[in-house]
Amino acid sequence: MSAQLLRGMDVAQKIRGQIKEEMESLKQKTGKVPGLAVVLVGENPASQTYVKHKERTSKKLGFYSEVHRLPAKTTQAELLHLVEELNNSEHIHGILVQLPLLEHIKEEAVIHAISAEKDVDGFHPLNVGKLVIGERCYIPCTAYGVIKMLEHAGIELQGKHAVVVGRSNIVGKPVALLLLERHATVTVCHSRTANLAELCRSADVLVVAVGRPEMIKGSWIKPGAVVIDVGINRVGGKLVGDVDFNAAKEVASWITPVPGGVGPMTITMLMVNTLQSFKYKLFQR
Ligand code: NDP
């Protein structure tokens, strides 16, 4: 058996087309466009690449885009001051401070300082709390992207056993909450989980966000399972996921490739969240 590929780029392109259409119609009606501000402190090469992609995508879609590249010596107080300015800016509907931050800046302080109404990353405690109780909120972009891909492929979640490997605040936990909301029965695994292979083998839907190259073996996959590999690992100049793709694709019914799987969805959902914030502001609801 060879699995069908669940390609993020196909889904992302469709959603980006919808965003562009909606945005242009709102622009014609109001003369305004959504604004996204991205803040990068220091020169982490991976972060620089992510920020460049975010800037490029938001410009391509016709958003107003501001990128603040700050030197590594920027103090926490200076960063918080910029966040406050962006919170008060009329042109900015979404604020994203690229993580990880340098050691002298407390991530928590920065996440808390971003207005929950402009927190398009969905990391502010108010948005996290709303996600837990199922209220409207900004959903963390990668987790949101995973759910949109499953929806796009028409994969039924109700009553299914979903296993999420990884419990980070940005991926594992929000994915688990979203699957639960869609009536899957969810098991969350982490570094201290006993019998990980056995739990993975019981999954109808397996979502992996660990950051360890090819740790999920083909023999851990239930025949016919849907496998979503969030992991991005660089091995010998090549990108690989957390799942042994070649072995897993022979067993699964659907599988995401790496690269080209979940990756393109993250930025797209950032744009969805920013457009959503713009609409809340325009229509005050
Ligand atoms: P974190 O390091 O924050 O979390 C990793 C999780 O994996 C933790 O919960 C950890 O458990 C768990 N874990 C570590 N080792 C094992 C193990 N041997 N068995 C089971 N669980 C284990 O990572 P992120 O969630 O931020 O990212 C995960 C991966 O996804 C990375 O490769 C990252 O690059 C990628 N990623 C991809 C994105 C995309 O757009 N496609 C976006 C974001 C991330 P514990 O909690 O016990 O420590």
Side-chain angles (χ1 to χ4, degrees):
M1 178 178 184
S2 200
Q4 293 190 69
L5 285 186
L6 198 41
R7 290 184 202 276
M9 196 36 107
D10 298 345
V11 190
Q13 260 161 6
K14 192 171 160 209
I15 297 176
R16 288 179 196 188
Q18 290 164 350
I19 294 175
K20 206 158 182 208
E21 225 172 83
E22 189 170 3
M23 216 223 43
E24 271 159 14
S25 129
L26 287 170
K27 187 179 170 185
Q28 275 190 352
K29 279 188 207 141
T30 66
K32 295 179 180 165
V33 295
L36 175 65
V38 179
V39 182
L40 172 65
V41 185
E43 287 168 6
N44 176 324
S47 295
Q48 283 177 327
T49 307
Y50 293 140
V51 166
K52 218 180 285 164
H53 284 150
K54 285 165 189 168
E55 182 180 21
R56 199 181 304 151
T57 308
S58 71
K59 282 188 176 157
K60 247 192 211 165
L61 291 175
F63 286 25
Y64 168 67
S65 160
E66 271 182 21
V67 178
H68 298 263
R69 290 184 171 84
L70 308 179
K73 65 175 181 10
T74 303
T75 63
Q76 180 170 311
E78 286 167 335
L79 178 58
L80 292 179
H81 181 73
L82 171 61
V83 167
E84 192 51 31
E85 274 179 18
L86 296 170
N87 281 342
N88 295 324
S89 165
E90 242 189 87
H91 308 293
I92 296 300
H93 304 91
I95 303 170
L96 182 149
V97 177
Q98 186 65 46
L99 302 178
L101 285 165
L102 297 165
E103 252 180 39
H104 66 281
I105 301 176
K106 282 207 181 88
E107 246 169 53
E108 195 184 286
V110 177
I111 289 171
H112 287 215
I114 295 171
S115 154
E117 288 166 13
K118 296 189 179 186
D119 168 42
V120 286
D121 247 345
F123 296 162
H124 189 284
L126 203 66
N127 284 313
V128 176
K130 286 183 174 184
L131 182 64
V132 172
I133 58 175
E135 277 188 21
R136 186 177 78 175
C137 62
Y138 296 115
I139 301 169
C141 303
T142 304
Y144 199 2
V146 166
I147 292 296
K148 283 284 161 198
M149 287 173 86
L150 291 168
E151 276 176 14
H152 178 83
I155 290 157
E156 178 64 51
L157 293 169
Q158 181 165 319
K160 297 288 164 62
H161 184 207
V163 173
V164 181
V165 190
R167 57 173 165 180
S168 69
N169 290 337
I170 66 166
V171 191
K173 282 182 198 159
V175 165
L177 287 166
L178 293 169
L179 290 165
L180 189 61
E181 201 179 76
R182 283 154 182 79
H183 311 298
T185 302
V186 182
T187 302
V188 182
C189 304
H190 46 78
S191 65
R192 323 284 157 87
T193 296
N195 304 325
L196 181 63
E198 212 172 288
L199 286 166
C200 289
R201 264 193 294 271
S202 71
D204 301 307
V205 177
L206 179 64
V207 182
V208 189
V210 172
R212 286 176 183 255
E214 302 182 336
M215 73 165 273
I216 305 288
K217 307 298 170 205
S219 59
W220 299 16
I221 311 283
K222 178 177 176 177
V226 175
V227 179
I228 308 287
D229 188 354
V230 182
I232 301 177
N233 309 286
R234 192 169 285 279
V235 178
K238 226 181 103 194
L239 291 183
V240 298
D242 290 342
V243 175
D244 178 349
F245 178 82
N246 286 327
K249 79 173 185 344
E250 297 306 320
V251 191
S253 61
W254 287 92
I255 190 166
T256 55
V258 178
V262 179
M265 291 301 290
T266 299
I267 292 185
T268 302
M269 301 324 289
L270 174 68
M271 301 302 146
V272 167
N273 282 347
T274 306
L275 177 62
Q276 194 57 58
S277 170
F278 175 62
K279 290 196 288 184
Y280 290 157
K281 182 83 195 295
L282 277 181
F283 307 118
Q284 301 293 325
R285 62 184 161 82

